[in-house]
Amino acid sequence: MMTFLGRAGFLLLIGFAALSDASSAAEPQKAGYALALHGGAGDNAAKLSPEERQGREATLRKGLEIGIEILERGGASLDAVEQVIRHLEDDPHFNAGRGAVFNADGGHELDASIMDGRDKSCGAVAGVRMVKNPISLARLVMTETRHVLLAGPGADRFAKEMNVEQVEQDYFTTPFQLERFQRKAKPPAKEQDKHMGTVGCVALDRRGNLAAGTSTGGVTNKKFGRVGDSPIVGAGTYADNNTCAVSCTGVGEYFIRHAIAHDVHARMAYLDASLEGAVRHVLHETLEPNTGGLIAVDKSGRIVLDFNTVGMSRAAADSTGRYEVQLGGK
Ligand code: ASP
């Protein structure tokens, strides 16, 4: 290059590069955002019908777009998480809201939680039977009560008080879940290739705030009154601005026993682990194979989507242009 430009030209070029560097450094940098969502671990994409595949993919894509739209314009991660999950709850392809699995009584009992990484405020509902969007009720528990978790008829009554949209049990029923129930699926001990379909979302907004949320109908044929990890803060959901935001999916009993979502945070906080390292440890060393997966984003916007099952429906996007939607395996 020296020969071609000559020494003067070369110095000019260096000077120009330095100048343009200085001018871009002077421009205020727009902070980035990051977003990830899941539609449940355990599924084997090869077993999905083309319609089911397309339907799931389209819903995940739309979920990403809802979140991106909020985060792109500087909206709050908490709003992105709630709105994305509402969309997934309304879609019949996933086991949350409409499309929820049946319990052993032939009914639907829904669980959800949400957490704000700014101050660890959080809200959750368990075993609700009449709430169209449990994630929004969980947020109201966080903002409108001094409690963290409301369960059963009390949670449904709170929904009424809050004028949250209520529906009959039939609203949640889909032919897909009815067929599974009628086959009398046993409560899964270790899921291999079932379409579990719990939904979750984690987000980092341009202000550096992290949030996480999870919503589910639980596991097919679960015992009436059974509560999984999804509404248990620290097990299925966790967010702390100093570390990361996490939403889990899988066999809830294992995630509760090991406080998986909190453990990802704790490994980063106390062991100085990276997000990747913390997630790898909990999914592949703490948990047994075929028990579930999780999505997580850290305070710098790194995203991890990982699972120890056959597959996990997942999607991610960020302000650098990352955009991906995947069903099934790695
Ligand atoms: N974790 C959920 C539960 O145990 C189920 C799932 O993620 O598929 O209720």
Side-chain angles (χ1 to χ4, degrees):
M1 179 147 94
M2 270 291 248
T3 355
F4 178 68
L5 285 173
R7 193 177 151 76
F10 187 61
L11 286 176
L12 204 75
L13 207 73
I14 292 180
F16 180 74
L19 236 178
S20 59
D21 260 11
S23 64
S24 67
E27 268 173 35
Q29 282 282 314
K30 240 182 158 186
Y33 66 81
L35 171 75
L37 44 139
H38 70 75
D43 65 352
N44 180 351
K47 289 195 174 173
L48 296 173
S49 69
E51 295 75 42
E52 180 133 3
R53 226 192 129 83
Q54 277 161 19
R56 280 176 161 229
E57 257 173 25
T59 306
L60 291 176
R61 208 169 282 281
K62 177 74 183 157
L64 265 192
E65 267 139 36
I66 290 170
I68 290 171
E69 201 273 319
I70 293 171
L71 297 169
E72 182 66 49
R73 64 173 152 81
S77 51
L78 210 52
D79 292 333
V81 165
E82 182 186 1
Q83 293 310 318
V84 168
I85 292 182
R86 282 183 69 96
H87 171 68
L88 299 173
E89 285 176 339
D90 290 345
D91 186 277
H93 292 96
F94 297 97
N95 168 23
R98 198 150 83 93
V101 299
F102 286 87
N103 68 5
D105 262 354
H108 304 283
E109 294 178 327
L110 301 120
D111 302 336
S113 64
I114 193 163
M115 187 161 186
D116 184 343
R118 282 177 302 186
D119 57 1
K120 292 193 165 96
S121 55
C122 47
V125 292
V128 292
R129 299 174 64 89
M130 290 152 69
V131 179
K132 180 171 169 281
N133 293 107
I135 194 68
S136 294
L137 189 62
R139 186 165 178 179
L140 287 169
V141 172
M142 173 172 85
T143 56
E144 306 304 314
T145 79
R146 61 201 163 83
H147 308 298
V148 165
L149 171 60
L150 293 185
D156 276 314
R157 200 165 132 199
F158 174 64
K160 215 169 193 171
E161 276 176 24
M162 290 287 111
N163 282 323
V164 159
E165 189 172 356
Q166 294 199 295
V167 290
E168 295 300 323
Q169 282 267 290
D170 284 358
Y171 164 82
F172 301 112
T173 302
T174 55
F176 177 75
Q177 297 294 6
L178 188 60
E179 197 264 327
R180 287 184 70 200
F181 175 62
Q182 283 165 346
R183 271 194 277 124
K184 292 234 183 302
K186 290 264 184 319
K190 288 180 196 171
E191 283 288 20
Q192 183 113 34
D193 56 3
K194 302 232 164 61
H195 313 296
M196 293 165 85
T198 289
V199 304
C201 180
V202 292
L204 170 75
D205 65 29
R206 291 195 188 277
R207 291 194 178 82
N209 293 322
L210 288 162
T214 311
S215 181
T216 189
V219 290
T220 299
N221 221 17
K222 65 185 180 182
K223 200 164 187 67
F224 34 87
R226 178 265 189 189
V227 174
D229 61 314
S230 309
I232 308 296
V233 168
T237 302
Y238 203 75
D240 183 325
N241 272 8
N242 296 311
T243 52
C244 60
V246 182
S247 170
C248 303
T249 168
V251 188
E253 285 69 12
Y254 293 89
F255 284 75
I256 294 173
R257 285 177 194 134
H258 296 285
I260 290 295
H262 182 268
D263 202 34
V264 175
H265 149 81
R267 287 180 174 278
M268 295 179 73
Y270 309 144
L271 299 178
D272 213 18
S274 65
L275 184 70
E276 289 83 354
V279 172
R280 198 180 317 114
H281 190 96
V282 302
L283 285 179
H284 305 288
E285 291 186 49
T286 306
L287 289 171
E288 289 173 42
N290 294 322
T291 47
L294 64 82
I295 54 169
V297 59
D298 74 8
K299 61 179 180 179
S300 67
R302 290 186 73 79
I303 296 170
V304 174
L305 319 160
D306 198 5
F307 45 95
N308 63 28
T309 46
V310 176
M312 179 171 82
S313 300
R314 58 204 185 275
D318 68 20
S319 47
T320 70
R322 178 174 179 174
Y323 188 100
E324 66 183 72
V325 176
Q326 284 175 287
L327 299 182
K330 288 179 185 171

